[in-house]
Amino acid sequence: MASSVAEKLAGVRVADGDGWASVAPNLRKNLVVLSSEEIELAKMLLHEGQKHLFDHWPEPGVDDGRKKSFFDQVARLNSSYPGGLVSYIQNAKRLLADSKAGKNPYDGFTPSVPSGEVLKFGDDHFIMLEEVGVREARKAAFVLVAGGLGERLGYKGIKLSLPVETTTGRCFIQHYIESILTLQEASSRQAQGQCKAEIPLVIMTSDDTHSSTVDLLESNNYFGMKSTQVTLLKQEKVACLDDNDARLALDPNDKYKIQTKPHGHGDVHALLYSSGILDVWRTAGIKWVLFFQDTNGLLFKAIPASLGVSATKGYHVNSLAVPRKAKEAIGGITKLTHTDGRSMVINVEYNQLDPLLRATGHPDGDVNCDTGFSPFPGNINQLILELEPYFEELSKTRGAISEFVNPKYKDSTKTSFKSSTRLECMMQDYPKTLSPSARVGFTVMDTWLAYSPVKNNPEDAAKVPKGNPYHSATSGEMAIYRANSLILKKAGAQMADPITDVFNGQEVEVWPRITWSPKWALTFSDVKRKVEAGCSVSQISTLVINGQNVFLDSLSLDGTLIVNAIDEAEVKVTGSVQNKGWVLEHIDYKDTSIPEKTRIRGFGIQKIEQLELSYTEPGNFCFKS
Ligand code: UTP
């Protein structure tokens, strides 16, 4: 039997003992339409100073369905945050007070350079680490964080659906999945006799990306991965805050809805923990968890060696990094030691690192050392964690990650905000709670090999100060061609120098357009094995290799060559290939008659002439032109 209003009221007195009516009269009137669970939530909200949420509520009988859905949302917000809404509001009050007081989060900490590995692409050590990494990969699980709004890029679809490069049109998620499957194959081959590995992939989505991600995977048959290998975990947004008292903001378009915004990629840890998947992985013998992001087409060139570093160094946490010029706008990996003895190795944002150094006895702040780079390497937010210590830590924290708040104040009194704010958290802040005995290190690789994300729209990219990375669709694609050309060069091929050109207002190096499927080469040793002496490629050339056993031997290319081959076909390509090839055409990103995927690059490919070789039957073949 439903309890009477009087009984309900008895339980809903707030702390000051004022009684219900004086606290939230409009809610009081509506108790008759609420369930006891909803009343519990209401009680909690009132206790946390949220009575304003009910100020506009009309009499029972008006909008009752919307009042119920308000509590559905409150229940969701409550269950998806570690510690519930009470913790969220209390954390918000504390962080907002710290922000108002201008409290420095690094007070009492002294920065120093942590220890890590700096790798040189292609040397013996690098090759050895790649071998170790491939061997370890069968004990790896990948986690792709792909819940972001992508506001800076402004692309209408999900970023995972964008082509990594235009010669093949292969999109990011396809490239990632094919790379993981290739690692799986290569790693299983190395561990002959043991059962074949299946490397799991988790994708963290959000309401903004979930259904498009599912559609993309399903309509492409998971790009060759078993659907059971892929787990999607959807992050929830968090409540927005209207003022320093952490009063929750109502949605300007719906007064029965709390306004929400993304909480950041740090959610991935709590989601992995609460989903129970970490336990499944432990039972399955998984040892490494690799976190990566939605649009870095170079990443898998850095994965085998970095995983090799984790395994050989026994790192619990390995942050992938690139060389960073002093004061460059990218976070620096830093060891922080507190006066009370605590220490941690974490990412410190560039605008905090320099003042922190100055305040702790380094009058010049962040300066380059004799390598020409800052001793604090640039964090690229790809992490390799050892599962067992990760699981132990999460068992204590439930995956809660240290948060921050970034309100935009109306004026210097810091009493009101220009627009609502919310708490945020970042995946890379995971090491903040680790004990000093945790083995936290980094792996530095050349930027050209490891990092070229697609984050900025053409207009903003064109405004990037000279010398800084554009991080646009244009630079992301050109980085693939540059990396592949440099790798072939290191393997002994004669590669033409790049020319410079300007697309969408961005000056970039244009190297020969070389692409290969992950199957062709995952490591530098693979490339060296498949590129024999005497190969040369001219600047106007395009080379697309789609096949595992394609070997280039004294090939001279001046034009476009595409080689497709099934795994069972071993193909040697030799001789001189010359044709008019494929030409890059300039495109204006404002020309809306051109698909957005293309115009955000500022160029399209005009296919004038090419040689396409396709091998669909098993056997040994030699093509000589
Ligand atoms: P970005 O910093 O690129 O943020 O995120 P974003 O949200 O995608 O883009 P902007 O800032 O709105 O322009 C780095 C990675 O973290 C994921 C993104 O999908 C991307 O892979 N991410 C970001 C999440 O998964 N969840 C979030 O709440 C935020």
Side-chain angles (χ1 to χ4, degrees):
M1 205 181 74
S3 46
S4 70
V5 172
E7 277 171 292
K8 285 178 175 178
L9 292 183
V12 214
R13 293 197 186 279
V14 284
D16 61 6
D18 241 353
W20 180 260
S22 65
V23 177
N26 291 345
L27 174 60
R28 179 184 193 278
K29 286 185 227 157
N30 280 283
L31 285 179
V32 282
V33 300
L34 302 181
S35 69
S36 48
E37 289 79 21
E38 288 162 346
I39 289 182
E40 281 307 309
L41 290 170
K43 210 159 50 163
M44 175 269 289
L45 287 173
L46 291 187
H47 194 262
E48 295 307 319
Q50 307 294 331
K51 90 169 194 46
H52 66 285
L53 295 172
F54 307 100
D55 285 351
H56 63 96
W57 275 31
E59 299 293 313
V62 182
D63 291 343
D64 287 352
R66 296 174 74 192
K67 291 168 190 163
K68 300 289 251 187
S69 58
F70 168 83
F71 278 107
D72 288 346
Q73 187 201 16
V74 171
R76 268 198 316 280
L77 291 171
N78 195 40
S79 64
S80 60
Y81 185 84
L85 268 174
V86 171
S87 294
Y88 182 75
I89 294 163
Q90 288 174 1
N91 289 342
K93 282 183 184 159
R94 182 175 44 80
L95 288 166
L96 284 163
D98 287 353
S99 169
K100 187 173 181 212
K103 194 170 161 189
N104 179 353
Y106 298 118
D107 248 0
F109 282 104
T110 306
S112 60
V113 181
S115 66
E117 280 262 327
V118 180
L119 303 187
K120 191 166 174 340
F121 173 77
D123 68 10
D124 290 347
H125 185 57
F126 185 91
I127 290 172
M128 179 279 288
L129 288 170
E130 282 198 319
E131 224 171 273
V132 175
V134 170
R135 193 169 63 228
E136 289 294 311
R138 59 195 307 279
K139 293 179 269 172
F142 283 84
V143 179
L144 167 59
V145 288
L149 288 172
E151 274 172 327
R152 282 171 289 170
L153 187 63
Y155 175 62
K156 281 200 200 76
I158 50 169
K159 287 188 275 176
L160 284 176
S161 69
L162 281 172
V164 181
E165 39 75 22
T166 322
T167 61
T168 65
R170 198 181 270 121
C171 68
F172 280 100
I173 186 67
Q174 177 175 8
H175 172 69
Y176 292 151
I177 287 181
E178 288 182 359
S179 300
I180 293 170
L181 290 176
T182 307
L183 260 177
Q184 176 178 299
E185 281 296 312
S187 196
S188 297
R189 265 200 309 276
Q190 275 203 16
Q192 296 155 344
Q194 299 177 43
C195 66
K196 208 176 152 192
E198 248 183 37
I199 299 179
L201 169 64
V202 163
I203 306 176
M204 181 172 81
T205 58
S206 66
D207 277 329
D208 299 305
T209 61
H210 188 79
S211 60
S212 307
T213 308
V214 172
D215 289 350
L216 183 63
L217 288 167
E218 288 188 346
S219 58
N220 289 284
N221 211 6
Y222 287 76
F223 297 101
M225 194 171 249
K226 286 185 189 165
S227 60
T228 48
Q229 247 173 294
V230 184
T231 307
L232 268 67
L233 298 177
K234 185 159 76 73
Q235 65 177 140
E236 293 294 335
K237 292 182 182 172
V238 288
C240 292
L241 308 158
D242 259 342
D243 57 26
N244 285 328
D245 293 328
R247 282 161 26 116
L248 304 184
L250 283 169
D251 188 327
N253 302 313
D254 183 348
K255 295 279 178 222
Y256 291 97
K257 213 167 147 191
I258 293 172
Q259 192 185 19
T260 58
K261 284 188 183 164
H263 188 220
H265 40 58
D267 276 348
V268 71
H269 302 294
L271 271 178
L272 284 173
Y273 180 71
S274 62
S275 70
I277 204 164
L278 297 180
D279 239 343
V280 176
W281 289 350
R282 290 168 78 218
T283 313
I286 299 284
K287 186 165 181 201
W288 307 108
V289 189
L290 293 91
F291 294 82
F292 65 113
Q293 307 197 11
D294 54 8
T295 59
N296 183 11
L298 293 178
L299 177 72
F300 276 83
K301 297 186 188 301
I303 288 288
S306 317
L307 185 52
V309 170
S310 282
T312 52
K313 290 269 182 180
Y315 281 154
H316 297 170
V317 179
N318 182 7
S319 293
L320 274 54
V322 292
R324 177 181 159 278
K325 290 276 183 199
K327 304 182 182 65
E328 193 181 324
I330 169 173
I333 296 177
T334 309
K335 179 168 182 177
L336 295 177
T337 310
H338 199 271
T339 42
D340 65 12
R342 272 179 296 149
S343 74
M344 56 188 169
V345 176
I346 51 151
N347 172 65
V348 176
E349 291 307 332
Y350 72 97
N351 52 355
Q352 294 173 313
L353 180 58
D354 190 64
L356 182 60
L357 282 160
R358 286 175 197 274
T360 51
H362 306 85
D364 297 327
D366 185 18
V367 282
N368 292 329
C369 59
D370 48 14
T371 58
F373 291 96
S374 163
F376 299 94
N379 168 46
I380 62 168
N381 260 350
Q382 329 277 335
L383 300 174
I384 304 179
L385 305 186
E386 189 179 337
L387 177 58
E388 207 46 48
Y390 178 51
F391 181 79
E392 272 170 35
E393 179 67 11
L394 262 49
S395 304
K396 288 184 236 150
T397 63
R398 289 182 293 169
I401 295 297
S402 129
E403 295 165 302
F404 62 95
V405 68
N406 192 11
K408 305 276 177 288
Y409 297 110
K410 270 196 186 140
D411 55 41
S412 59
T413 63
K414 294 188 176 178
T415 43
S416 50
F417 309 156
K418 284 185 187 154
S419 61
S420 66
T421 187
R422 86 286 198 182
L423 301 191
E424 294 176 76
C425 63
M426 298 189 292
M427 171 169 93
Q428 66 270 28
D429 280 342
Y430 162 72
K432 277 191 173 169
T433 54
L434 295 179
S435 79
S437 63
R439 287 196 293 276
V440 185
F442 61 78
T443 303
V444 177
M445 303 235 191
D446 292 312
T447 309
W448 66 261
L449 182 73
Y451 191 52
S452 187
V454 178
K455 287 183 189 284
N456 292 325
N457 63 61
E459 220 158 309
D460 290 343
K463 289 186 215 143
V464 165
K466 207 171 163 57
N468 286 302
Y470 297 119
H471 290 172
S472 65
T474 313
S475 61
E477 174 157 355
M478 288 301 163
I480 303 292
Y481 303 142
R482 180 181 50 186
N484 289 344
S485 295
L486 289 172
I487 292 170
L488 286 192
K489 193 169 177 178
K490 181 86 184 166
Q494 201 187 320
M495 305 300 297
D497 287 336
I499 58 164
T500 53
D501 205 339
V502 178
F503 301 102
N504 282 346
Q506 303 152 56
E507 189 178 280
V508 287
E509 281 185 358
V510 184
W511 288 80
R513 272 68 69 207
I514 312 286
T515 62
W516 55 75
S517 58
K519 263 190 176 186
W520 186 67
L522 203 59
T523 62
F524 184 50
S525 302
D526 293 335
V527 177
K528 283 210 302 188
R529 225 165 14 90
K530 292 173 182 178
V531 179
E532 287 163 38
C535 292
S536 66
V537 182
S538 72
Q539 193 280 328
I540 61 118
S541 293
T542 301
L543 172 64
V544 179
I545 306 174
N546 280 317
Q548 189 176 321
N549 294 306
V550 176
F551 296 82
L552 310 179
D553 187 2
S554 306
L555 169 73
S556 160
L557 177 62
D558 184 30
T560 294
L561 171 65
I562 303 159
V563 190
N564 307 307
I566 59 166
D567 292 356
E568 299 76 20
E570 193 167 314
V571 182
K572 184 176 194 168
V573 185
T574 183
S576 168
V577 174
Q578 196 169 23
N579 55 46
K580 295 202 181 87
W582 292 357
V583 175
L584 295 186
E585 280 182 318
H586 288 80
I587 281 175
D588 183 353
Y589 73 91
K590 293 193 198 100
D591 182 351
T592 51
S593 67
I594 297 165
E596 194 183 0
K597 282 181 182 175
T598 307
R599 64 189 157 86
I600 56 172
R601 286 154 213 277
F603 58 84
I605 292 182
Q606 196 194 354
K607 299 181 177 179
I608 300 175
E609 196 184 1
Q610 70 274 324
L611 173 67
E612 180 159 9
L613 307 172
S614 290
Y615 297 88
T616 54
E617 301 292 330
N620 286 310
F621 305 90
C622 179
F623 175 86
K624 184 168 180 6
S625 90

